[in-house]
Amino acid sequence: MKQKRTVLVCVTDQKNCERLIKAGHMLAKSQDMELKVLSVQSRCKLKKIEQAPLEYLFNVCKSLDAEMKVYWSDNVNNVVHNYILSNRVAELVVGVPEKMMQGNFVYDVHQAFPDIPISVIDESNLMKTLSFQEV
């Protein structure tokens, strides 16, 4: 069976990432795609991480029938790039990046995958698709 195209939501370990997951769910549903959620946590956080926010996000994903994966790595870009390549990612949903410059996660993903639209969800839950001029 052919794997469906995927909307990938990238989250941190904060409960407020629920808004990203819900926005990704609406996007996936409207385009008949799968919803997958990815969180890449630094290895140094492994022993200190508070489990409650990640568990909360897992439960949000479960309620929306979405798969959530957590990886422990100090190289976020490599993990995300490999995940995109192996999961037929057609769209990406992220929170608002601090700056759009080389070395920034969103910027680097866009450089590696310029054909994948990136939707940014701001704190007011407004979705904006990044244009090439902004990146």
Side-chain angles (χ1 to χ4, degrees):
M1 188 168 114
K2 191 174 180 182
Q3 182 185 18
K4 269 184 149 180
R5 291 172 13 120
T6 301
V7 171
L8 177 62
V9 179
C10 292
V11 299
T12 62
D13 60 347
Q14 299 173 8
K15 282 186 175 184
N16 67 3
C17 287
E18 174 183 11
R19 65 188 165 78
L20 305 178
I21 297 168
K22 288 183 174 181
H25 172 71
M26 297 299 289
L27 183 62
K29 190 174 176 182
S30 73
Q31 297 185 28
D32 192 32
M33 289 194 230
E34 270 189 296
L35 174 62
K36 296 188 178 189
V37 178
L38 177 64
S39 182
V40 182
Q41 301 293 319
S42 172
R43 289 179 193 263
C44 68
K45 287 177 97 178
L46 188 55
K47 292 183 180 179
K48 310 184 255 188
I49 193 160
E50 185 183 334
Q51 297 298 321
L54 280 177
E55 187 174 330
Y56 178 80
L57 295 176
F58 268 110
N59 288 330
V60 170
C61 289
K62 186 177 179 181
S63 73
L64 298 174
D65 198 29
E67 172 184 278
M68 181 174 175
K69 299 275 186 177
V70 177
Y71 290 90
W72 302 95
S73 174
D74 294 323
N75 194 330
V76 174
N77 289 354
N78 279 353
V79 173
V80 174
H81 290 195
N82 289 335
Y83 194 89
I84 287 171
L85 290 171
S86 62
N87 285 278
R88 293 198 69 216
V89 173
E91 298 209 26
L92 185 66
V93 175
V94 297
V96 178
E98 287 182 28
K99 293 181 182 178
M100 288 305 294
M101 56 188 249
Q102 190 171 0
N104 169 277
F105 163 74
V106 176
Y107 179 91
D108 291 346
V109 168
H110 174 70
Q111 294 302 308
F113 303 97
D115 294 335
I116 296 178
I118 300 175
S119 296
V120 176
I121 312 302
D122 71 14
E123 292 77 22
S124 303
N125 291 327
L126 295 175
M127 181 183 288
K128 176 182 175 187
T129 301
L130 291 179
S131 68
F132 291 105
Q133 292 77 27
E134 294 175 270
V135 178

